[in-house]
Amino acid sequence: MALQAASLLPAAVTVHKEGKSNACFKDVGFFGLPVSDHVRAECKSSLVFRRRELQVRPIRAQTATTGPAIDQAAPEEKKTLRKGSVIITGASSGLGLATAKALAETGKWHVIMACRNFLKAEKAAKSVGIPKENYTIMHLDLASLESVRQFADNFRRSGRPLDVLVCNAAVYLPTAKEPSFTAEGFELSVGTNHLGHFLLSRLLLDDLKQSDYPSKRLIIVGSITGNTNTLAGNVPPKANLGDLRGLSGGLNGINNSVMIDGGDFDGAKAYKDSKVCNMLTMQEFHRRFHEETGICFASLYPGCIATTGLFREHIPLFRLLFPPFQKYITKGYVSEEEAGKRLAQVVSDPSLTKSGVYWSWNKNSASFENQLSKEASDAEKARKLWEVSEKLVGLA
Ligand code: NDP
Ligand code: PMR
C-alpha cells in the first residue's frame, strides 16, 4: 500500500464522532415517530464551521463527437493488459469499502481509496483483506473544496491513469437540530454529498477523457429515498429541490436558507435532496459529455444497506431496529458485501455500459434500468442545478 503522505492536508474541517449518538435529536424521531424528551435532553451541540468566500473560474465548452481518448486510442492489447484504475470516495466504510474489496480482489483493479481519515481507511482496507498492492489511500475531504482541488492535483501528480471515478461518500444528519457547514460555508449534507462531488467530477473529467481503458465510467451513487415515485421516497420529509432558491443563495444561512428549496433546516431532507442532486448531476453529465467523450455516466440504488455507518448519527433505537425492519418487513435489505458487488458491477461489468442510467437490482439480484422520479429526471432542473453548482464551487 502506497500511503500518499504528500497528500495529507491540514486538519479536515469535519469533526467526526463515529459510533456515538452525539447529534441533536430532532423531532422526527424513530421511523417518523416523536422522540421522548429524556432522549432529546441528551442532545449535545453538533459541528460548527466557519464560512469562507467563494472564487470564480471559467468553464469549458462541449460539442465535438469524439474526445482525445478516442482519437489517441491505444492498441487493443494495451487496453486489456493493464489493471483498471478506479477512485472511490468514502472507501473507508460501508458500500465504498465493500466495493473496493470486490474490485481489488479480482486482481484486475487498482483502487484509489479517497478518504478523509487515513488511519481509518488503512485499518479498514487491512481488516477486509484488500491485497496491499491493489490499493492506495489518498486524502480527500469533500467538505472542503480546497481539499477537493488538492486531491485532484495530487492524483494527477501520482501519474496514475483514471478509468473510473465513483462518487460514493456521504453524510446523513437526521437528528441534527441546527445545520453544520463545510469549510466554504455550505450546509454540510448538500455541501459534501453534492457540491464536493460535483467539483471533484468536473476536475477529474479531463483525466477520465484521457484514459485508454476500454470502458471509462463516472458513477454517482443515488438512492431510492430521493425518488418520490417509490414508497421509501414518500416517507417524510420528502426530497424537494423547489426552484433551487436556497442553493442559489449559497446554502449558508446568512440571510439565506440552508436548504436547497429555501425552507427550514431538516437534516433528513437535506440528505434526500443531496441524493436528488447526485442523480440529476449524473444525467446532466451524460447529456453534456457522453457523446463527446465516450464516458459512461451512471447512478444506482444498491439496496438498503441498513448496517452501514450512514446511520451513525441516528438514535440508538433506530440503529437497532432498522436492519430487521428492512430485512423482514420491507425486504429491501442487502448486506454490505452484496451491495459492494452491485456497485463493482456498475464499475466493471461489460454489460452495464449504457450511459445515463440509474441502476437497481431485483429480488434475484439481477440489475435493471430503473425509473427516476419526476423531479430526479427533470432535465431543466438538472441544467439549472449544474449552473448554480458551478458558480458555488468556483467553476463559473
Ligand atoms: P458509510 O457512512 O458507511 O460510508 C460513507 C463514507 O463517506 C465513509 O467512508 C465516510 O468517511 C465518507 N465520508 C463522509 N464524509 C466525507 C467527507 N467529508 N470527505 C470524504 N469522505 C467522507 O455509508 P454508506 O456506505 O451507507 O454510504 C455510501 C453511499 O451509499 C452514500 O452515497 C449513500 O448515500 C449511499 N446509499 C446508502 C444506502 C444505505 O442503505 N446505507 C442506500 C442507498 C444509498 P469516514 O469513514 O471517515 O466517516
Ligand atoms: Mg425506509 C419498500 C420500502 C422501503 C425501502 C426500500 C426503504 C429504504 N424504506 C422503505 C419503507 C419505509 N421506510 C417505511 C414504510 C418507513 C416508515 C416506517 C420507513 C422509514 C424510514 C426511516 C425513518 N426509512 C428510512 C429512514 C431513514 O432514516 C433512512 C433514510 O431515509 O436515510 C436517508 C431510511 C431508508 N429507507 C430505505 C433506505 C435505503 C433508507 C436509507 C438510506 C438512503 O436512502 O440512503
Side-chain angles (χ1 to χ4, degrees), residues 31 172 223 225 232 235 271-272 301 304 314 318 322 326 330:
F31 284 13
Y172 174 43
S223 182
T225 52
V235 174
Y271 170 88
K272 293 175 191 179
Y301 166 58
C304 185
H314 225 309
F318 177 90
F322 192 53
Q326 292 293 345
T330 73

Side-chain angles (χ1 to χ4, degrees), residues 92-93 95 116 120 141-142 168 271 275 305 308 312:
S92 53
S93 77
L95 178 61
R116 62 178 164 176
K120 180 176 175 184
D141 182 355
L142 288 156
N168 161 79
Y271 170 88
K275 290 285 114 184
I305 332 160
T308 71
R312 66 187 89 175

Side-chain angles (χ1 to χ4, degrees), residues 354-374:
K354 188 167 170 192
S355 185
V357 172
Y358 167 63
W359 296 103
S360 294
W361 285 259
N362 65 21
K363 287 194 173 68
N364 303 320
S365 261
S367 57
F368 67 94
E369 280 180 44
N370 207 346
Q371 285 294 114
L372 290 157
S373 69
K374 190 163 175 270

Side-chain angles (χ1 to χ4, degrees), residues 12 14 16 18 89-97 114-117 120-121 140-144 167-171 188 192-193 197 220-225 271 274-275 278 300-312 322 334 336 343:
T14 308
H16 182 61
E18 188 173 337
T89 68
S92 53
S93 77
L95 178 61
L97 179 62
C115 298
R116 62 178 164 176
N117 184 334
K120 180 176 175 184
L140 168 66
D141 182 355
L142 288 156
S144 156
C167 297
N168 161 79
V171 287
L188 191 63
T192 305
N193 308 355
H197 278 136
I220 309 178
V221 178
S223 182
I224 193 169
T225 52
Y271 170 88
S274 76
K275 290 285 114 184
N278 288 155
L300 69 150
Y301 166 58
C304 185
I305 332 160
T307 52
T308 71
L310 193 68
F311 311 104
R312 66 187 89 175
F322 192 53
V334 288
E336 295 182 26
L343 179 47

Side-chain angles (χ1 to χ4, degrees), residues 43-57:
C43 169
K44 292 176 191 162
S45 72
S46 199
L47 324 176
V48 181
F49 299 98
R50 297 277 165 262
R51 298 159 167 94
R52 287 186 204 151
E53 288 181 5
L54 298 170
Q55 291 164 355
V56 178
R57 293 247 192 112

